[in-house]
Amino acid sequence: MRFATLTYLDTCADNSGASLLSFRPRDSIRRSTGQFGVWFVGGAVRPFTIASAPDDELLQLGTRLHSGSRIKRGLKALRPGDEVRLLGPFGGITLADDSRPIVHLIQGIGATLARSLIRQWPSRRHTLVQVGAPYFGVELAPLVESAIYPGTRDEFNAAIPRTVAAEAGADYVVAGSSGFSKAVQFSLRSAGVARDRIHAEGFIGLPNLAA
């Protein structure tokens, strides 16, 4: 078990309805790209993707705060200086550290994973294809080669083979619900993408552990 204590600093909301919460670790935390942690906040427990890059000084969590769940109420109630606990981090996305393009196939708040990778590898060519609300779009769109926001799931599905044809040799990172992830991975394989070029967020399928 790897527990860390984090001090809450602030929350920044964007116009899409997403919020980015910043924390300062009490001690150094060894991290890699695409990891998640299990967050203990206000008596509730839940896994969240770490939205900051491993080289960032602060550790950040991106989410929506309007659901009213216990964990979201706890996050909204945080005041600067409050402490939370983090178990982890776990998982991770392993990509070859080279110049291969990265295509992010994202559903909604799965943009937190894309944010972490884009910040970690700003010199690589990134394409963002995001269905659902364009969370963190104002921040991410200027950082990528192309940002595509299909209006419907059918339009998103149609964009996959076009993106594969345009980005031959890319790595593909998938983040969203379990059903979304499985469907997108199947579509990528059907479009001829090699299995080792497809990377899915690690904690898909973990239950909400809110007490």
Side-chain angles (χ1 to χ4, degrees):
M1 293 288 186
R2 300 167 290 180
F3 279 96
T5 299
L6 312 176
T7 300
Y8 171 73
L9 300 178
D10 58 28
T11 296
C12 294
D14 71 8
N15 61 5
S16 69
S19 294
L20 188 69
L21 292 80
S22 297
F23 300 83
R24 187 180 303 280
R26 177 187 295 174
D27 301 304
S28 177
I29 300 175
R30 187 174 181 179
R31 293 186 284 137
S32 60
T33 50
Q35 290 189 299
F36 71 95
V38 180
W39 301 71
F40 293 71
V41 182
V45 186
R46 182 174 170 179
F48 287 102
T49 299
I50 295 172
S52 47
D55 293 340
D56 287 344
E57 178 185 1
L58 302 180
L59 195 149
Q60 294 175 307
L61 179 161
T63 190
R64 301 161 301 215
L65 294 177
H66 54 265
S67 73
S69 66
R70 187 173 181 183
I71 190 78
K72 302 299 178 66
R73 294 197 306 270
L75 291 169
K76 287 178 68 173
L78 289 173
R79 297 294 178 264
D82 288 349
E83 292 185 341
V84 304
R85 298 276 278 169
L86 176 77
L87 177 62
F90 303 107
I93 300 291
T94 302
L95 303 178
D97 191 8
D98 60 18
S99 59
R100 281 207 303 259
I102 302 175
V103 175
H104 305 269
L105 298 169
I106 302 298
Q107 180 188 45
I109 203 65
T112 54
L113 178 61
R115 184 181 188 274
S116 174
L117 272 64
I118 291 167
R119 289 179 62 83
Q120 183 66 10
W121 289 307
S123 63
R124 294 177 70 164
R125 175 188 171 94
H126 295 269
T127 297
L128 178 68
V129 186
Q130 183 178 3
V131 67
Y135 296 121
F136 303 113
V138 171
E139 175 189 3
L140 296 182
L143 304 178
V144 302
E145 184 74 17
S146 175
I148 304 167
Y149 299 100
T152 67
R153 183 64 178 271
D154 286 343
E155 291 174 0
F156 177 87
N157 292 339
I160 292 176
R162 292 198 301 267
T163 303
V164 170
E167 296 290 351
D171 282 307
Y172 293 81
V173 176
V174 183
S177 68
S178 178
F180 172 86
S181 177
K182 291 176 182 177
V184 172
Q185 291 180 70
F186 178 80
S187 295
L188 289 171
R189 294 288 293 129
S190 299
V193 178
R195 194 177 301 275
D196 64 356
R197 293 295 180 93
I198 303 172
H199 313 271
E201 188 167 42
F203 76 86
I204 287 172
L206 284 186
N208 183 339
L209 302 175

